[in-house]
Amino acid sequence: MKSEYSIYHDEAFHDRKVTSKGKTYMNIENKDSSSYFYLIHLGFKNNEIDKYTSQYLQLESSYKKKLGLCDEQELKGDILKKRWFRYGIKTMNKEQVDFYTNYMKLIDKDVIISISIINQFELVFKNVFRGINTMILGHKEGSKMYYAFSKFLYLNKSEELLNLLFDIENNKVAIKQEIKSIANSVIIRNKEIAHKFTETPIAEQLLQFIENEEDICNDEKYDMDYAWSFQGISLLLDELEISKKVCELYIDGEEGFEKIIEMLQSKYYIVDGLDSKKSIGNRMSDMFIRLISAIIHSLEDQLINVGKTNKKEKHDLSEEWFKLTEKQYDLYIVIADIFNQREYIKGTLHISISSDAAFIFFMLLNYFVSFKDFNEYQKVSASEHANYFIGNSLIAFSKLLDDI
């Protein structure tokens, strides 16, 4: 077969494995880490790729000059600082907004896009509690239960449970006892916290399931599930009826992906590792996923991670997210258009069920698109936007779990 497409890979928040750090937290909970692992593939027809790469080179060169970078220096997504995205696009400066607006406009409907996002704590949950996962697999509300149990343990885990999960010398009975202790403590605590009413029945149900859990398998580390993440591009190509045998797949570097490259080699026209300094396509993938992951990371911090330490207060999205200039609003619209062009292509997004901040991000895009234009958007105050959005997103996410 003849090669027809070139597909470029990159990733964000790549930890390779989940480990315990100092017996008090996991590596995916580091200040500059994320519990989510992101994988992106951008694909182009070989006879059209020069059109995209030449336009990106011009844009890249212009932005590098504004940043004071010389021609030899690589423009990579790691130049994007976490603080720039504290309130999403709201806290990006004019140059960043202009660059990304122009870049995202290059991604037209003919570009293949596959984004995989997995909550890495699921690697721990699935491996340790195999019995629970088997029990809920055939349940009519299995998806909801899987999400609820994994998130409950992530947010309420004690240092003792963390140590047990990563210490193979510990008795498995101790893990069950500690989870029972946590669940009972949550039930008592939540009697005094009105907004936590939905967590209590989860704790009660978990107590029932953990009683029958006989297949606990803890480990010193939990390896990244690359097969699941790379399944995203495979499912997308199948859906688009594009044979993998006509696709060249280029991984951003080979380190850490040697086994994946070997595994995929026979399925694609070619699979190879490339240095992003020499690959425009890989740099385009890098800049795309860095923006998406940075915004989702801020949502994760402000809506989810804060709940690990502050249980009493309700954590909603700050109204600062909605105090946008017209150009900032327009960037959200440009990003939303990319995904709305592909709304009937299921394989565009391959997101694990516990990656709730990612689902909220895509709901946020749809929220901005729901307004006719920026003038109509401005008629609603930022506080009203925040209240309306978070209320509706929770309802939408609950419905999503019902439909899975």
Side-chain angles (χ1 to χ4, degrees):
M1 282 187 171
K2 180 182 177 183
S3 171
E4 297 178 17
Y5 293 87
S6 292
I7 300 173
Y8 298 90
H9 145 281
D10 209 336
E11 77 284 326
F13 296 108
H14 185 197
D15 284 297
R16 292 188 170 85
K17 57 178 68 73
V18 181
T19 61
S20 173
K21 305 292 286 186
K23 296 189 176 182
T24 57
Y25 64 96
M26 293 179 288
N27 60 322
I28 59 175
E29 296 177 294
N30 276 328
K31 181 180 178 181
D32 295 320
S33 297
S34 169
S35 62
Y36 298 175
F37 170 64
Y38 301 80
L39 201 64
I40 185 172
H41 293 95
L42 292 184
F44 309 89
K45 291 181 179 178
N46 288 342
N47 60 2
E48 294 182 353
I49 191 169
D50 287 347
K51 174 183 72 174
Y52 297 100
T53 55
S54 62
Q55 291 181 79
Y56 183 76
L57 269 178
Q58 292 178 15
L59 181 61
E60 183 184 58
S61 177
S62 174
Y63 191 50
K64 282 167 68 173
K65 288 178 182 177
K66 291 180 180 180
L67 293 175
L69 301 177
C70 64
D71 290 339
E72 292 74 26
Q73 288 179 282
E74 184 180 5
L75 181 64
K76 288 276 286 181
D78 55 13
I79 67 165
L80 306 176
K81 306 301 180 186
K82 182 178 178 180
R83 66 179 182 276
W84 296 349
F85 301 94
R86 183 178 181 186
Y87 299 117
I89 290 174
K90 161 64 184 174
T91 32
M92 292 172 65
N93 64 35
K94 181 181 180 300
E95 288 73 22
Q96 294 158 358
V97 170
D98 287 345
F99 169 80
Y100 265 109
T101 299
N102 291 323
Y103 168 45
M104 291 297 181
K105 285 181 178 179
L106 298 181
I107 310 298
D108 61 26
K109 62 181 179 61
D110 294 323
V111 178
I112 295 172
I113 301 177
S114 167
I115 295 178
S116 293
I117 306 172
I118 186 171
N119 186 327
Q120 296 176 90
F121 184 70
E122 289 184 53
L123 304 176
V124 180
F125 181 73
K126 285 193 295 186
N127 281 283
V128 175
F129 305 105
R130 297 177 185 180
I132 288 180
N133 281 287
T134 300
M135 283 186 276
I136 67 178
L137 190 62
H139 198 283
K140 64 179 181 179
E141 292 193 330
S143 296
K144 274 189 173 181
M145 293 165 69
Y146 177 89
Y147 167 77
F149 290 166
S150 61
K151 185 171 182 179
F152 178 91
L153 291 174
Y154 180 67
L155 292 179
N156 294 291
K157 63 186 180 302
S158 60
E159 284 189 16
E160 177 65 20
L161 178 60
L162 183 67
N163 292 332
L164 290 169
L165 293 177
F166 290 89
D167 187 351
I168 58 176
E169 299 299 324
N170 274 298
N171 191 311
K172 308 298 190 293
V173 174
I175 294 178
K176 293 178 65 171
Q177 291 303 322
E178 182 60 18
I179 290 177
K180 288 179 184 179
S181 175
I182 291 170
N184 284 316
S185 296
V186 167
I187 292 170
I188 295 170
R189 182 195 70 203
N190 287 353
K191 290 178 180 179
E192 307 296 326
I193 309 175
H195 70 270
K196 287 284 189 179
F197 70 95
T198 59
E199 196 178 44
T200 299
I202 296 170
E204 293 170 340
Q205 197 170 32
L206 181 59
L207 281 171
Q208 296 174 20
F209 275 86
I210 200 66
E211 190 66 43
N212 298 313
E213 172 64 271
E214 300 295 341
D215 194 15
I216 292 177
C217 301
N218 62 338
D219 207 338
E220 294 175 325
K221 58 182 175 57
Y222 301 88
D223 291 330
M224 183 62 214
D225 189 353
Y226 292 116
W228 185 92
S229 295
F230 275 88
Q231 187 182 35
I233 182 62
S234 178
L235 291 171
L236 175 62
L237 293 174
D238 289 345
E239 183 179 356
L240 296 176
E241 298 183 345
I242 297 173
S243 170
K244 299 177 191 64
K245 286 294 186 180
V246 299
C247 297
E248 301 175 35
L249 179 58
Y250 293 107
I251 309 296
D252 180 27
E254 287 192 38
E255 186 179 352
F257 289 106
E258 294 88 351
K259 291 183 179 178
I260 287 292
I261 290 175
E262 184 179 347
M263 180 183 76
L264 298 175
Q265 197 70 256
S266 63
K267 298 178 181 180
Y268 290 82
Y269 182 85
I270 187 175
V271 182
D272 201 2
L274 286 181
D275 184 342
S276 58
K277 288 183 179 180
K278 302 175 182 177
S279 172
I280 303 168
N282 286 108
R283 295 203 301 276
M284 291 178 71
S285 291
D286 172 74
M287 295 304 287
F288 193 115
I289 201 60
R290 289 289 177 169
L291 175 65
I292 302 300
S293 63
I295 298 174
I296 294 174
H297 189 32
S298 290
L299 289 169
E300 180 192 2
D301 271 351
Q302 294 170 40
L303 293 177
I304 299 165
N305 289 341
V306 65
K308 288 185 285 188
T309 53
N310 188 340
K311 306 291 185 183
K312 292 187 177 182
E313 293 183 40
K314 192 176 180 182
H315 307 291
D316 291 333
L317 199 59
S318 168
E319 64 183 61
E320 292 297 322
W321 283 77
F322 300 92
K323 295 179 180 179
L324 303 172
T325 66
E326 186 168 6
K327 284 194 172 184
Q328 290 169 337
Y329 171 85
D330 287 343
L331 177 51
Y332 274 121
I333 300 302
V334 172
I335 298 170
D337 285 345
I338 290 173
F339 292 102
N340 287 337
Q341 286 173 351
R342 297 160 174 80
E343 65 176 317
Y344 298 113
I345 306 175
K346 290 184 178 180
T348 299
L349 298 176
H350 185 52
I351 305 177
S352 73
I353 197 169
S354 295
S355 304
D356 40 5
F359 287 108
I360 291 172
F361 167 70
F362 289 105
M363 292 174 192
L364 187 64
L365 294 181
N366 288 333
Y367 179 75
F368 290 123
V369 169
S370 70
F371 294 89
K372 179 182 177 181
D373 53 31
F374 182 67
N375 289 330
E376 183 179 285
Y377 173 80
Q378 275 193 311
K379 292 177 182 178
V380 181
S381 70
S383 60
E384 289 175 313
H385 278 307
N387 290 332
Y388 183 79
F389 169 73
I390 202 64
N392 280 272
S393 64
L394 291 173
I395 294 171
F397 184 64
S398 179
K399 184 178 183 302
L400 177 70
L401 291 175
D402 285 334
D403 294 340
I404 292 176

